[in-house]
Amino acid sequence: MKKEGQRAFSRKEEGEIESHLMASIDVTIDRTRCSFLVDDPCSMAARNYGEFDAVLVSDCLDRIHAPAECLERLVGEPGLVKVGGIVVVASRTRWTERRTRKDKWLGGTVNSAGKEEYAMDGIKSIFEERMELLTTLDMPLLIRNDARNYQYSIVEASVWKRKA
């Protein structure tokens, strides 16, 4: 996308039938100002990538082996998010031991005192000293599986700003 401004892709319609489509970026947008990185979110380090003005952590916290470590890498020293930078965390919070050991879950548990602990509690405990919570919201998420099959979920989202 960055180099050519477009990318061909296909989407499933039914069985073996697919539609072939083209995603493109408006020619007036300066694509050189944007970077797309793919890496293990639990091992990304500022020394390898530098610092960012904004980071989106979307639909992965409940799917990785070490969600707390992922969030720590954003705001630790050195962190991936610049001072004054924004982090958006969005998760369906579908914790399962198939993906993440239970002792690594950020929420979805009841502690020994009988108190329910939610993912937002875990995120706050990691961010509270170094990030300011700007807002939280529930966001609809619609995933298209094929022409007649969709998944609808409500994602818990929070927006944070890194403190000085």
Side-chain angles (χ1 to χ4, degrees):
M1 291 295 281
K2 183 175 182 176
K3 183 178 177 183
E4 298 180 16
Q6 61 183 14
R7 182 172 180 165
F9 68 99
S10 60
R11 83 174 170 204
K12 185 176 180 177
E13 296 299 335
E14 178 181 330
E16 297 177 343
I17 302 169
E18 294 182 337
S19 293
H20 299 284
L21 305 164
M22 182 70 70
S24 60
I25 297 173
D26 187 300
V27 295
T28 62
I29 294 174
D30 180 6
R31 296 187 316 270
T32 63
R33 296 185 60 217
C34 188
S35 296
F36 296 92
L37 305 172
V38 178
D39 199 346
D40 175 357
C42 301
S43 65
M44 291 180 71
R47 69 179 173 277
N48 297 333
Y49 296 107
E51 294 180 309
F52 296 89
D53 295 315
V55 174
L56 171 64
V57 181
S58 181
D59 205 25
C60 71
L61 280 184
D62 57 350
R63 297 168 178 256
I64 58 178
H65 62 91
E69 287 84 344
C70 170
L71 296 178
E72 283 286 345
R73 290 187 178 280
L74 299 177
V75 296
E77 294 300 330
L80 287 163
V81 180
K82 291 179 180 177
V83 170
I86 299 293
V87 175
V88 177
V89 179
S91 178
R92 289 187 274 176
T93 64
R94 299 176 355 167
W95 303 104
T96 173
E97 289 184 277
R98 191 178 71 212
R99 295 189 177 114
T100 310
R101 283 191 354 232
K102 194 171 187 177
D103 65 317
K104 298 282 189 176
W105 293 5
L106 296 180
T109 59
V110 178
N111 69 19
S112 58
K115 182 180 183 276
E116 295 174 340
E117 296 177 334
Y118 292 89
M120 187 55 67
D121 300 324
I123 295 167
K124 284 179 181 176
S125 72
I126 294 165
F127 281 172
E128 65 189 350
E129 292 181 18
R130 297 166 285 188
M131 302 288 282
E132 173 189 356
L133 178 60
L134 300 178
T135 191
T136 61
L137 60 152
D138 289 335
M139 296 177 54
L141 171 66
L142 185 65
I143 299 173
R144 182 188 193 275
N145 295 323
D146 59 43
R148 302 187 188 283
N149 182 12
Y150 294 81
Q151 295 177 45
Y152 179 76
S153 300
I154 302 295
V155 175
E156 181 177 39
S158 54
V159 181
W160 302 81
K161 183 175 181 178
R162 183 148 186 204
K163 299 176 185 176

